[in-house]
């Protein structure tokens, strides 16, 4: 090693005599520590060290420990090469992007993103010259790259949605192409990459499908729907929360009644009911006579899935000595159900249980009375003891497409985040498919095909109180149960909150699902308004 | 994942209707669990409530052990609703087990125990009361649970120490010498010339209820004063020693005493009242049995067999002290299984007894009832929620202890007629459900015919 003289200048490589070119000036401070870094490269090395830090923070722990044990600086005179080698080691397990020639547009000071950036490839070419050759030949840290791409994706999604709203489909289509390109640079296995993928997919369907051709997604295959629903139930706590909160309210409402009737607006596999049957079996004073009416779509493959589920529930009830009767009502849509089909007995206490069904009635057909009003009206006129309603806590029914889209993007990103925190289940993939179908419906469908018309609790409150219902507070028992069961079995990050007598379950203070309970306000002589043929107050 | 449902009969569609892709459907059915399984076995509903609750607890335990969060949640929800902490005795029993299961689940999960317990509708830390001497004396007298062992032991001890001028009593009990005043009384009444009494105890069991609010030094001086008031001279000594190592310091101390007083004709009485079951036994793996020379058990051959345990060695060392009499009283139940469900069943089928009896001697809402039930809760939680060294409640049934004592070269002594009649008289002061059984040489306290506590007496074979 060539000794440094006092003013920090070093000779060149020991063996050869530096004849022609002036040796690079070595930074004096670093030189004192034995690091031979030319001043001109200082900025470069500093950036590298920053990236290394980011990469270390983002890398998997096993990588980090390798780094810690293997990272020995053998040749302190060549700090920049050492940092680069560490960076490339960290990058090895990540999928390396191919280096497009316009990588140079990722200028280090690119914090402020322009929404029109996607259009400005040409501008960035000029910035090429500012980047040294050295930099371009190095492998970039994937995480920094990813972050940038992810942010760009989100902005592009918004731009695309806006174009769709304005009817500029050609523009929207080209944005789709760009986004699909960007998708290759991000990790689509998790995080924003995954969610963006679904939204891009949904947007494509909307843009590229012939008008009116998209029917409600997945409506044809009941078996498939039930399967996805079941996996969604297993993989994350939302449906479980819905079930035991609703069950708690129903159990409490049925106290003292000997004949009870539960109307389930969406039976699926009847997952909600074994627990209630068991709890009723052992309640003080003995179980009531329990009738369950399960509503569900007609089976497409010749099976009678409603009846099958009914038989299983009957078996369970028999084994715990609960007198039980089941009735299945097959209806393609909830508005096709008429109250006489439920055969409610005037002596029984009725509980109507709606898990994420009411919003499907919000598609308004201008030629008819709103389905929601019709249904709410006949619900009121059953012997209603309690109606439990669980709904997605989101405003996905706004009239403006961009608003809906934005809301959905944030809502489903949060939901996917929460899913990622859940323990790995084989069910997760299918659960995600379930959610993906919702996304598709919200984004790519319109009119009567768009059934996922989620509205937030505040709107449901207005709607339901306007329709002659009053809220039943869910009570501290329900809250304690929900909190206890969730803290025991779900990852940290989920939170149960109480909202004026209703309970919400959310991820990190963003409520995602809301459970509420309602009673019918007894009829007064109608002093206001005109009643039409369907009994709806106009 | 473990499935607890019986497979339901094949659904109709597989028999009647054709469908396009039979293979696909079959595979998918197998991949999805058919049902988050509530037990559909017919047996569940045909017994009474208690059995049903036991079944639910068992299924819950299984669900927790197999990490089946869905099923565990559902059963916990049901149990929370059917077992309020202020219900009837079955409900309170179930509630205590439920709390213990929640505590166990909370330990294995990623959640915060405090948050989970705070949200459950029973309050968290079992508030174990610190008794004053008067309180504890009154408390212990409320029920035959401990009095039975005391009465039988005292009678046997009196017989055994006849003729000795000096008696060394080693009191290994859970109730902080509550037996001793009655014993002293009995000695004072029986003998014209009362022997010198040396009382040795193994130091306070700090962590196990019932807990005392004063130190053993203070307790000792109270006992000495009481003895003096009965004209009995008594010495009191505390040897700090713990069940965790099989009371090795106590054994060491006694050995030394033996050597010093070997010639003086002193009676050695070892009185074990429900304390020995805390000494680790064979099911607790990883018990270190050191072979260094300072080990009081070093008289053992250096190759300790794998079936040995601190419990076995303790009894052997007792034998080596050549005691005049050993009284062994404990609860008649097997809680040593390493299998959670077995333990749960055994515990449930035994601990219903204290919940059942409490109605006969303590009114609802009374403080004493709270303390009493808190102590039972503590036990249940220890058995269900803990493992390894922390699980200290390692009770064994009578026949197992009898075998152990025989293996340690003791032979059993029958309780005399006096002892039996004393116990019967004592039982007469309590509710009608209590009874007494003689099983060969041993006495067993029963409640409604079920074995509760056994009392046995031994001398060197």
């Amino acid at each position: 090693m060539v000794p440094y003289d006092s003013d920090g200048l070093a000779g060149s490589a020991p063996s050869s005599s530096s004849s022609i070119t002036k040796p690079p000036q070595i930074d004096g401070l670093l030189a004192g520590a034995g690091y031979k870094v030319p001043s001109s490269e200082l900025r470069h090395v500093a950036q590298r060290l920053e990236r290394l830090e980011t990469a270390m923070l983002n890398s998997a722990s096993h990588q980090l420990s390798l780094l810690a044990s293997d990272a020995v600086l053998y040749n302190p005179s060549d700090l920049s090469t050492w940092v680069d080698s560490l960076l490339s080691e960290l990058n090895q397990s990540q999928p390396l992007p191919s280096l497009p020639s316009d990588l140079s547009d990722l200028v280090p000071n690119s914090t402020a993103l322009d929404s029109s950036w996607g259009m400005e490839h040409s501008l960035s070419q000029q910035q090429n010259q500012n980047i040294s050759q050295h930099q371009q030949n190095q492998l970039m840290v994937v995480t920094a790259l990813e972050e940038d791409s992810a942010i760009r994706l989100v902005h592009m999604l918004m731009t695309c949605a806006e174009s769709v709203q304005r009817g500029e489909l050609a523009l929207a289509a080209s944005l789709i192409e760009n986004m699909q390109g960007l998708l290759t640079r991000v990790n689509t296995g998790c995080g924003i990459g995954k969610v963006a993928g679904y939204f891009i997919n949904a947007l494509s369907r909307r843009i590229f499908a012939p008008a009116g051709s998209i029917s409600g997604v997945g409506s044809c295959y009941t078996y498939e729907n039930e399967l996805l629903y079941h996996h969604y139930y297993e993989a994350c706590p939302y449906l479980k929360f819905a079930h035991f909160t609703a069950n708690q309210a129903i159990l409490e409402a049925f106290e003292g009644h000997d004949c009870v009737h539960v109307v389930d607006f969406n039976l699926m596999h009847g997952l909600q009911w074994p627990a209630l049957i068991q709890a009723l079996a052992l309640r003080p004073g003995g179980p009531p006579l329990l009738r369950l009416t399960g509503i569900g779509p007609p089976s497409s493959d010749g099976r009678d899935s409603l009846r099958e589920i009914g038989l299983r529930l009957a078996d369970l009830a028999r084994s715990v000595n609960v007198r039980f009767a089941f009735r299945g009502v097959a209806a393609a849509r909830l508005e096709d159900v008429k109250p006489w089909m439920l055969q409610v007995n005037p002596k029984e206490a009725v509980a109507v249980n709606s898990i994420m069904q009411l919003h499907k009635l919000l598609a308004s057909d201008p030629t008819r009375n709103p389905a929601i009003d019709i249904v709410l009206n006949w619900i009121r006129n059953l012997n209603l003891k309690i109606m439990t309603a669980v709904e997605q806590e989101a405003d996905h029914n706004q009239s403006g497409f961009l608003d809906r889209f934005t809301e959905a993007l944030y809502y489903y990103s949060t939901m996917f985040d929460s899913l990622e925190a859940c323990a790995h289940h084989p069910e997760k993939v299918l659960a995600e498919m379930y959610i993906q179908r919702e996304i598709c419906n919200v984004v790519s469908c319109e009119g009567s095909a768009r059934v996922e018309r989620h509205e937030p609790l505040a709107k449901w409150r207005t709607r339901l109180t306007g329709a002659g219902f009053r809220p039943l507070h869910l009570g501290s028992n329900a809250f304690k149960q929900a909190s206890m069961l969730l803290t025991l079995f779900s990852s940290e990050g989920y939170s149960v909150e109480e909202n004026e007598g209703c309970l919400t379950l959310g991820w990190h203070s963003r409520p995602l699902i809301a459970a509420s309970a309602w009673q019918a306000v007894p009829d007064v002589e109608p002093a206001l308004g005109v009643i039409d043929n369907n009994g709806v107050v106009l | 994942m473990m499935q607890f449902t019986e497979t339901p009969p094949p659904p109709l569609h597989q028999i009647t209707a054709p469908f396009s892709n039979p293979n696909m459907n079959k595979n998918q059915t197998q991949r999805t669990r058919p049902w988050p399984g509530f037990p559909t076995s017919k047996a569940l509903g045909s017994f009474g409530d208690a059995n049903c609750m036991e079944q639910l607890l068992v299924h819950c335990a299984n669900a927790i052990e197999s990490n089946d969060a869905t099923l565990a949640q559902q059963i916990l929800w049901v149990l929370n609703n059917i077992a309020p902490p202020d219900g009837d005795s079955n409900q309170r029993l179930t509630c205590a087990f439920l709390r213990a299961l929640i505590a166990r689940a909370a330990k294995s999960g990623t959640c915060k125990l405090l948050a989970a317990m705070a949200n459950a509708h029973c309050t968290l830390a079992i508030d174990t009361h610190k008794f004053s001497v008067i309180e504890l004396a009154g408390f212990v007298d409320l029920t035959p649970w401990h009095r039975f062992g005391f009465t039988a032991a005292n009678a046997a001890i009196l017989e055994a120490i006849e003729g000795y001028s000096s008696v060394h009593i080693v009191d290994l009990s859970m109730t902080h010498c509550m037996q001793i005043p009655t014993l002293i009384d009995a000695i004072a009444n029986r003998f014209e010339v009362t022997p010198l009494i040396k009382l040795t105890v193994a130091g306070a069991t700090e962590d196990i209820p019932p807990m005392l609010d004063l130190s053993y030094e203070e307790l000792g001086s109270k006992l000495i004063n009481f003895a003096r008031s009965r004209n009995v001279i008594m010495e009191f000594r505390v040897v700090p020693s713990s069940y965790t190592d099989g009371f090795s310091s106590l054994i060491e101390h006694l050995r030394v005493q033996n050597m010093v007083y070997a010639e003086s004709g002193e009676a050695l009485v070892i009185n074990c009242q429900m304390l020995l079951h805390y000494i680790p036994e064979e099911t607790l793996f990883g018990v270190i049995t050191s072979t260094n020379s300072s080990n009081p058990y070093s008289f053992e051959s250096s190759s300790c067999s794998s079936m040995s345990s601190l419990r076995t060695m303790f009894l052997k060392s007792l034998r080596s002290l050549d005691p005049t009499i050993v009284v062994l009283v404990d609860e008649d139940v097997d809680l040593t299984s390493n299998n959670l469900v077995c333990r749960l069943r055994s515990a449930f089928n035994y601990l219903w007894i204290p919940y059942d009896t409490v109605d006969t001697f303590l009114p609802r809402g009374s403080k004493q009832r709270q303390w009493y039930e808190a102590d039972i809760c503590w036990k249940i939680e220890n058995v269900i929620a803990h493992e390894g060294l922390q699980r200290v409640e390692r009770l064994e049934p009578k026949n197992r202890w009898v075998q152990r004592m025989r293996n340690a070269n003791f032979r059993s002594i029958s309780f005399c007629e006096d002892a039996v009649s004393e116990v019967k008289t004592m039982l007469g002061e309590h509710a009608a459900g209590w009874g007494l059984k003689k099983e060969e040489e041993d006495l067993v306290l029963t409640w409604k015919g079920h074995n509760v506590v056994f009392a046995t007496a031994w001398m060197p074979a």
Side-chain angles (χ1 to χ4, degrees):
Chain A
M1 186 120 106
V2 176
Y4 295 105
D5 58 21
S6 55
D7 64 348
L9 286 174
S12 58
S15 50
S16 63
S17 58
S18 57
S19 43
I20 309 145
T21 54
K22 189 174 179 203
Q25 285 200 324
I26 303 295
D27 177 83
L29 289 173
L30 283 175
Y35 294 111
K36 189 163 107 180
V37 180
S39 307
S40 59
E41 287 198 344
L42 263 185
R43 184 166 161 271
H44 159 73
V45 173
Q47 277 170 10
R48 287 321 213 214
L49 285 171
E50 249 179 20
R51 286 227 168 104
L52 179 61
E53 204 187 294
T54 319
M56 282 173 77
L57 285 175
N58 290 333
S59 72
S61 57
H62 68 271
Q63 279 180 312
L64 197 57
S65 59
L66 275 177
L67 202 60
S69 53
D70 289 349
V72 177
L73 187 49
Y74 287 109
N75 185 7
S77 62
D78 195 356
L79 180 61
S80 59
T81 311
W82 177 70
V83 176
D84 285 335
S85 70
L86 284 182
L87 283 173
S88 63
E89 249 184 69
L90 275 179
N91 291 342
Q92 253 153 41
S93 60
Q94 308 238 11
L96 292 176
S98 55
L99 296 176
S101 57
D102 60 345
L103 237 195
S104 52
D105 55 12
L106 287 169
V107 176
N109 59 350
S110 62
T111 44
L113 283 179
D114 208 331
S115 63
S116 54
W117 213 3
M119 315 299 283
E120 291 181 333
H121 275 292
S122 47
L123 280 177
S124 62
Q125 300 295 347
Q126 296 168 359
Q127 290 158 350
N128 255 345
Q129 293 136 12
N130 297 338
I131 315 297
S132 71
Q133 193 63 34
H134 188 64
Q135 217 169 359
Q136 278 189 312
N137 290 341
Q138 298 294 331
L139 292 171
M140 302 296 245
V141 175
V142 175
T143 47
L145 175 64
E146 262 195 41
E147 227 173 80
D148 287 337
S149 298
I151 295 170
R152 293 182 67 196
L153 258 181
V154 171
H155 281 262
M156 266 202 222
L157 276 169
M158 303 300 210
T159 313
C160 188
E162 202 181 358
S163 328
V164 167
Q165 176 163 281
R166 288 202 298 250
E168 296 169 14
L169 294 185
L171 175 57
S174 76
L175 283 170
I176 296 276
E177 269 185 53
N178 291 340
M179 288 194 284
Q180 276 163 348
L182 261 185
L183 267 185
T184 60
R185 295 192 217 162
V186 297
N187 186 352
T188 51
C190 64
I192 188 68
K194 177 185 262 185
V195 180
Y198 291 136
F199 276 86
I200 292 169
N201 181 271
L203 276 172
S204 316
R205 293 174 70 112
R206 191 186 182 99
I207 295 167
F208 297 122
S213 72
I214 303 183
S215 58
V217 179
S219 57
C220 337
Y221 305 108
T222 6
Y223 185 88
E224 227 178 75
N225 278 349
E226 285 173 9
L227 193 73
L228 294 183
Y229 186 86
H230 195 140
H231 284 270
Y232 178 60
Y233 171 86
E234 292 278 354
C236 51
Y238 301 107
L239 284 181
K240 293 176 219 172
F241 163 79
H243 289 180
F244 47 74
T245 307
N247 279 349
Q248 187 70 36
I250 295 173
L251 186 66
E252 287 171 15
F254 279 171
E255 238 174 274
H257 291 269
D258 290 324
C259 288
V260 301
H261 185 171
V262 176
V263 178
D264 187 359
F265 275 2
N266 190 21
L267 186 69
M268 285 293 182
H269 285 166
L271 301 168
Q272 184 172 350
W273 307 118
L276 183 68
I277 293 174
Q278 192 75 81
L280 285 172
L282 293 169
R283 71 171 192 179
L289 164 62
L290 171 65
R291 287 183 56 207
L292 175 65
T293 300
I295 298 172
S299 304
S300 48
D301 47 9
R303 299 159 53 224
D304 190 347
S305 58
L306 285 174
R307 183 157 174 266
E308 275 171 38
I309 303 297
L311 282 173
R312 283 199 210 162
L313 287 169
D315 261 340
L316 173 67
R318 191 177 15 251
S319 73
V320 293
N321 290 330
V322 173
R323 291 166 300 153
F324 178 81
F326 176 82
R327 187 182 180 74
V329 173
R333 303 171 310 165
L334 196 49
E335 55 254 52
D336 296 337
V337 175
K338 300 287 175 272
W340 57 262
M341 297 176 187
L342 308 177
Q343 299 200 333
V344 169
N345 185 311
K347 286 190 230 136
E348 50 191 21
V350 177
V352 168
N353 181 70
S354 162
I355 309 283
M356 307 190 314
Q357 298 304 302
L358 289 181
H359 62 255
K360 297 185 181 172
L361 300 168
L362 295 177
S364 52
D365 183 342
T367 63
R368 305 160 65 181
N369 283 320
I372 182 74
D373 292 332
I374 299 176
V375 172
L376 285 179
N377 194 52
W378 64 248
I379 292 176
R380 265 189 81 231
N381 293 322
L382 301 172
N383 252 350
L384 191 72
K385 192 81 178 62
I386 185 171
M387 174 172 74
T388 45
V390 179
E391 286 286 323
Q392 289 90 333
E393 183 61 7
D395 205 348
H396 293 154
N397 199 22
Q398 300 169 76
S399 44
F401 177 74
L402 181 59
D403 289 333
R404 257 190 353 255
F405 184 89
T406 314
E407 169 91 1
L409 188 59
Y410 285 122
Y411 180 84
Y412 288 105
S413 303
T414 313
M415 180 163 281
F416 272 101
D417 273 352
S418 78
L419 216 69
E420 256 159 56
C422 292
H424 178 72
H425 272 257
E427 287 96 7
K428 251 207 225 179
V429 173
L430 292 176
E432 289 175 1
M433 270 179 69
Y434 178 84
I435 304 173
Q436 188 190 5
R437 285 191 176 184
E438 265 185 32
I439 295 174
C440 245
N441 193 274
V442 174
V443 171
S444 61
C445 295
E446 280 303 339
S448 59
R450 178 157 63 89
V451 293
E452 299 295 343
R453 293 175 178 265
H454 313 145
E455 288 193 345
L457 192 52
K459 280 198 183 168
W460 281 110
R461 279 206 182 101
T462 315
R463 204 183 276 284
L464 287 168
T465 44
F469 291 87
R470 65 161 171 243
L472 258 179
H473 278 219
L474 282 172
S476 55
N477 232 352
F479 181 77
K480 283 185 188 168
Q481 285 256 41
S483 309
M484 186 265 286
L485 293 174
L486 278 167
T487 39
L488 270 182
F489 296 108
S490 307
S491 343
E492 290 193 42
Y494 285 101
S495 60
V496 177
E497 272 159 30
E498 200 258 336
N499 179 332
E500 288 180 41
C502 305
L503 292 187
T504 61
L505 172 63
W507 176 253
H508 284 137
S509 78
R510 161 78 210 244
L512 291 177
I513 190 169
S516 56
W518 304 85
Q519 265 179 335
V521 172
D523 265 329
V524 228
E525 284 304 301
L528 313 157
V530 178
I531 307 174
D532 75 356
N533 291 341
N534 286 336
V536 175
V537 176
L538 294 172
Chain B
M1 275 185 196
M2 211 194 280
Q3 297 188 7
F4 307 113
T5 50
E6 290 172 9
T7 359
L12 292 172
H13 76 279
Q14 279 180 357
I15 305 162
T16 54
F19 44 89
S20 54
N21 194 347
N23 291 326
M24 178 194 87
N25 275 338
K26 198 169 172 194
N27 285 341
Q28 287 185 323
T29 316
Q30 279 164 0
R31 258 189 282 138
T32 326
R33 225 146 38 107
W35 234 11
F38 263 92
T40 56
S41 81
K42 289 276 180 348
L44 182 58
S46 52
F47 306 116
D49 282 348
N51 237 285
C52 200
M53 296 206 196
E54 179 189 340
Q55 291 295 334
L56 283 172
L57 287 169
V58 163
H59 284 287
C60 192
N62 272 321
I64 293 172
E65 290 296 273
S66 56
N67 268 316
D68 188 346
T70 304
L71 182 58
Q73 271 175 329
Q74 294 197 342
I75 303 184
L76 282 174
W77 179 79
V78 174
L79 283 170
N80 249 330
N81 275 303
I82 65 174
D86 54 357
D88 67 27
S89 48
N90 275 335
Q91 287 174 315
R92 297 196 314 276
L93 172 69
T94 304
C95 185
F97 273 84
L98 175 60
R99 294 173 42 116
L101 281 175
I102 293 173
R104 189 184 178 96
K107 283 180 168 207
S108 51
T110 53
C111 70
K112 299 182 173 97
L113 170 60
L114 288 176
M117 294 298 280
N119 287 325
H121 62 187
C122 16
T123 51
L124 171 55
I126 300 161
D127 209 8
T128 39
H129 177 71
K130 281 205 160 187
F131 290 84
S132 73
V133 173
I134 307 284
E135 273 176 344
L136 188 58
F139 195 67
V140 161
D141 270 353
L142 288 170
T143 154
W145 201 282
H146 294 282
R147 289 190 75 193
F148 164 79
F150 294 172
T151 313
N154 287 351
I157 291 170
L158 278 179
E159 279 256 322
I161 63 175
E162 181 92 50
Y164 285 87
S165 54
S166 167
V167 178
H168 184 181
I169 303 176
V170 180
D171 188 31
L172 293 170
S173 94
M174 281 309 298
T175 44
H176 312 293
C177 305
M178 285 299 123
Q179 178 183 347
I180 303 303
T182 0
L183 181 57
I184 291 173
D185 244 349
I187 289 173
N189 290 337
R190 175 136 166 176
F191 302 111
E192 283 274 341
V193 180
T194 56
L196 167 69
I197 308 290
K198 293 177 178 176
L199 183 61
T200 302
V201 297
T205 43
E206 297 275 317
D207 36 356
I208 302 172
M211 320 225 246
L212 203 59
D213 72 350
L214 76 171
S215 72
Y216 263 40
E217 282 70 38
E218 294 168 296
L219 179 66
S221 48
K222 281 189 197 274
L223 287 169
I224 292 173
N225 288 339
F226 175 82
R228 196 177 299 131
S229 74
R230 295 288 186 276
N231 288 324
V232 174
I233 304 169
M234 196 174 90
E235 289 172 18
F236 181 83
R237 171 172 282 151
V238 181
V239 177
S241 191
S242 167
Y243 56 83
T244 50
D245 63 2
F247 298 109
S248 56
S249 348
L250 177 66
I251 295 290
E252 192 55 44
H253 169 82
L254 292 174
R255 233 176 246 158
V256 169
Q257 290 286 298
N258 241 21
M259 289 195 271
V260 169
Y261 293 98
E263 307 305 316
S264 65
E266 181 177 83
L268 178 60
V269 174
I270 319 271
N271 180 47
C272 308
Q273 299 273 346
M274 306 199 194
L275 190 62
L276 297 193
H277 70 249
Y278 294 101
I279 304 176
E281 34 58 76
E282 290 78 7
T283 64
L284 181 57
F285 299 115
V287 173
I288 299 160
T289 54
S290 63
T291 50
N292 59 36
S293 55
S294 63
N295 186 332
Y297 302 122
S298 56
F299 69 90
E300 287 266 47
S301 64
S302 54
S303 58
C304 287
S305 79
S306 60
M307 284 313 286
S308 188
S309 65
L310 284 174
R311 196 171 289 195
T312 313
M313 296 197 290
F314 174 78
L315 295 179
K316 284 218 162 100
S317 39
L318 278 191
R319 177 65 185 82
S320 71
L321 297 171
D322 231 354
T324 315
I325 181 173
V326 177
V327 178
L328 198 142
V329 172
D330 218 318
E331 293 162 345
D332 196 3
V333 62
D334 186 356
L335 296 184
T336 53
S337 172
N338 273 325
N339 177 295
L340 174 69
V341 171
C342 284
R343 259 191 350 261
L344 195 152
R345 283 194 198 276
S346 295
F348 192 85
N349 283 301
Y350 178 79
L351 291 168
W352 68 270
I353 298 175
Y355 279 100
D356 200 38
T357 66
V358 80
D359 279 322
T360 64
F361 62 89
L362 282 173
R364 274 190 185 234
S366 71
K367 277 239 151 276
Q368 284 178 312
R369 179 138 152 165
Q370 271 174 15
W371 301 335
Y372 187 82
E373 296 197 348
D375 285 356
I376 310 172
C377 271
W378 192 97
K379 203 175 203 117
I380 294 174
E381 185 161 317
N382 190 270
V383 172
I384 300 295
H386 294 267
E387 289 294 348
L389 285 169
Q390 287 178 325
R391 177 159 59 87
V392 297
E393 296 283 353
R394 295 177 175 271
L395 291 100
E396 287 184 308
K398 177 169 84 83
N399 46 18
R400 197 96 60 83
W401 281 108
V402 164
Q403 192 57 53
R404 281 187 189 279
M405 291 299 278
R406 292 204 180 125
N407 291 347
N409 252 320
F410 284 98
R411 69 173 176 86
S412 69
I413 313 172
S414 216
F415 289 88
C416 60
E417 277 313 305
D418 274 350
V420 175
S421 64
E422 291 223 21
V423 172
K424 281 190 178 155
T425 314
M426 182 274 294
L427 287 182
E429 295 169 23
H430 297 277
W434 295 104
L436 174 63
K437 217 164 49 168
K438 273 201 89 165
E439 279 179 3
E440 292 170 36
E441 283 99 12
D442 318 315
L443 296 181
V444 180
L445 173 70
T446 61
W447 171 257
K448 295 183 177 170
H450 297 264
N451 284 16
V452 185
V453 178
F454 63 85
T456 58
W458 305 85
M459 61 186 282

